[in-house]
């Protein structure tokens, strides 16, 4: 069966026209809200098990939607190795650090720091992808964005203490691991439908977290399950993971890269606003300055990206989005 980035989604997603702006807007809103959902869920659930159960549910949804529509298994042994490495980096390392960090920093700040993914992505791509050299405008954007990260982390260390500082550093380290995973997948093209590519990465990243969660957090049955924690878990798994992956891959051939990457500039301010309106979070002036520098740097990196998208295997595996 031929697998493309749209074969799975065409059977159930809305057609082009009103469906395109609706799908784009849905991604902006959902990815802006996942950060606050993580913060609320962490009031009752431990971070490691929270991550593991979230993606276990997402895997079940993605596999259920994919069955009978596309090829489910990777084709070569090398594919399994790449999926295992990138899955651990993307879902085990990145999301565990992110969830742990949100115990100590605001959801909006975590979203801004996670927006550094494309900054690290262009650096890794320069070394690993011969057709994507690091150009001066992108290097300048990366330097400005990293300056913003420095401002934010300095503020955390000075006003919120060492634990908040290391939480901020943890989000940035996770962003770097996610960026490397994205570039590695792009460098090692695989003939695998995007939904299943994501599902297999989740499988390899979630398996060690389930074991680690049992060892560290104990039996999930004994967690402090509340209505809000259950809602946050299901929202993050079904809406914030499975649905958004499918919507993103449906949009790839229908929008330019620049139009898609604009989501990266919308979700961090959206997360800050939702955290302020609904989560009672504040965002000091120094952190706002750092956030503005991060977003300016990201914009400088993306402003030249105007080519139209192709299949995930041919390019968009290297596209980075700061989703929670």
């Amino acid at each position: 069966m031929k697998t493309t980035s749209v074969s799975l989604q065409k059977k159930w997603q809305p057609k082009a026209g009103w469906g395109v702006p609706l799908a784009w807007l849905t991604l902006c809103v959902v990815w802006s809200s996942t950060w606050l959902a993580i913060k609320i869920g962490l009031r009752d659930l431990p971070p490691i098990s929270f991550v593991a159960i979230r993606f276990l549910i997402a895997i079940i949804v993605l596999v259920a939607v994919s069955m009978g529509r596309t090829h489910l298994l990777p084709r070569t042994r090398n594919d399994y190795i790449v999926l295992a490495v990138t899955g651990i980096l993307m879902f085990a390392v990145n999301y565990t650090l992110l969830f742990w960090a949100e115990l100590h920093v605001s959801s909006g700040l975590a979203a801004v720091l996670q927006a550094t993914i494309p900054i690290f992505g262009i650096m890794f791509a320069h070394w690993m992808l011969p057709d994507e050299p690091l150009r001066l405008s992108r290097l300048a954007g990366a330097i400005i964005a990293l300056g913003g990260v420095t401002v934010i982390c300095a503020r955390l260390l000075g006003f919120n203490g060492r634990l908040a500082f290391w939480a901020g550093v943890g989000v940035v380290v996770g962003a770097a691991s996610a960026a490397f995973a994205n570039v590695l997948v792009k460098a090692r093209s695989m003939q695998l439908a995007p939904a299943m590519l994501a599902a297999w990465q989740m499988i390899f990243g979630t398996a060690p977290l389930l074991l680690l969660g049992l060892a560290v957090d104990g039996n999930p049955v004994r967690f402090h399950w509340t209505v809000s924690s259950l809602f946050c878990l299901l929202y993050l798994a079904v809406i914030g993971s499975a649905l958004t992956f499918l919507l993103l891959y449906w949009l790839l051939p229908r929008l330019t890269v620049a139009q898609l990457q604009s989501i990266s500039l919308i979700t961090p301010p959206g997360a800050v606003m939702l955290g302020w309106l609904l989560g009672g979070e504040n965002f000091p002036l120094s952190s706002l300055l750092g956030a503005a520098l991060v977003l300016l740097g990201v914009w400088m990196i993306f402003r030249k990206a105007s080519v139209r998208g192709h299949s995930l295997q041919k390019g968009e595996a290297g596209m980075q989005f700061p989703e929670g």
Side-chain angles (χ1 to χ4, degrees):
M1 179 183 296
K2 184 179 180 180
T3 59
T4 69
S5 62
V6 297
S7 61
L8 172 62
Q9 291 78 11
K10 285 173 68 176
K11 297 185 179 182
W12 68 279
Q13 292 288 358
K15 296 183 188 267
W18 62 267
V20 170
L22 179 60
W24 182 90
L25 182 62
T26 299
L27 287 177
C28 291
V29 172
V30 171
W31 277 343
S32 294
S33 64
T34 52
W35 309 92
L36 184 58
I38 293 171
K39 191 75 173 180
I40 295 173
L42 286 169
R43 296 172 184 172
D44 300 305
L45 302 177
I48 297 174
S49 295
F50 193 2
V51 176
I53 299 171
R54 168 190 177 175
F55 288 115
L56 178 61
I57 296 172
I59 291 166
I60 294 172
V61 174
L62 286 173
V63 172
V65 172
S66 301
M67 290 183 66
R69 293 181 171 88
T70 188
H71 189 71
L72 300 181
L73 300 177
R75 297 182 182 276
T76 68
R77 179 181 178 183
N78 185 63
D79 287 349
Y80 282 101
I81 295 173
V82 173
L83 289 168
V85 172
T86 58
I88 290 172
L89 290 173
M90 174 70 76
F91 293 99
V93 176
N94 176 42
Y95 279 97
T96 299
L97 287 173
L98 175 61
F99 275 52
W100 170 78
E102 283 210 38
L103 291 171
H104 309 289
V105 300
S106 69
S107 61
L109 192 59
V112 170
L113 292 174
Q114 184 84 165
T116 57
I117 288 177
I119 283 79
F120 292 107
I122 63 170
M123 296 178 182
F124 291 130
H126 176 72
W127 293 320
M128 299 168 62
L129 302 173
D131 58 341
E132 295 191 25
L134 184 59
R135 304 189 185 281
L136 183 60
S137 61
R138 292 189 168 188
L139 178 61
I143 293 173
I144 291 173
L146 291 176
V149 171
T150 302
V151 170
I152 292 172
C153 288
R155 199 270 174 194
L156 288 174
L157 182 60
F159 293 90
N160 298 78
R162 291 177 180 265
L163 200 55
F165 167 78
W166 287 115
V169 171
V171 177
V172 176
V173 171
S177 69
F180 181 80
N182 283 328
V183 176
L184 181 58
V185 169
K186 183 175 181 180
R188 305 291 181 91
S189 294
M190 284 179 280
Q191 296 300 313
L192 188 64
M196 289 311 303
L197 189 152
W200 276 103
Q201 286 181 313
M202 289 181 190
I203 289 170
F204 284 113
T206 301
L209 289 183
L210 289 170
L211 297 176
L212 183 61
L214 285 173
V216 174
D217 304 326
N219 189 341
V221 175
R222 298 177 182 174
F223 291 166
H224 184 224
W225 292 104
T226 62
V227 174
S228 64
S229 63
L230 280 170
F231 173 81
C232 290
L233 176 62
L234 293 175
Y235 179 78
L236 289 167
V238 179
I239 305 299
S241 297
L243 176 64
T244 52
F245 270 107
L246 294 172
L247 285 177
L248 174 62
Y249 295 135
W250 182 79
L251 282 174
L252 287 178
R254 294 169 169 84
L255 293 178
T256 64
V257 171
Q259 289 169 329
L260 282 171
Q261 296 286 20
S262 64
I263 299 172
S264 297
L265 299 176
I266 293 172
T267 52
V272 171
M273 183 177 66
L274 289 174
W276 175 64
L277 288 174
L278 303 178
E281 299 177 349
N282 56 41
F283 218 73
L285 184 60
S286 58
S287 294
L288 284 174
L289 173 61
L293 291 174
V294 170
L295 295 180
L296 174 61
V298 173
W299 174 79
M300 290 179 65
I301 291 171
F302 289 151
R303 65 192 178 100
K304 297 291 185 181
S306 60
V307 296
R308 195 166 276 281
H310 305 293
S311 70
L312 177 73
Q313 292 82 1
K314 294 181 180 179
E316 279 65 32
M319 295 176 63
Q320 298 103 14
F321 296 89
E323 70 266 21

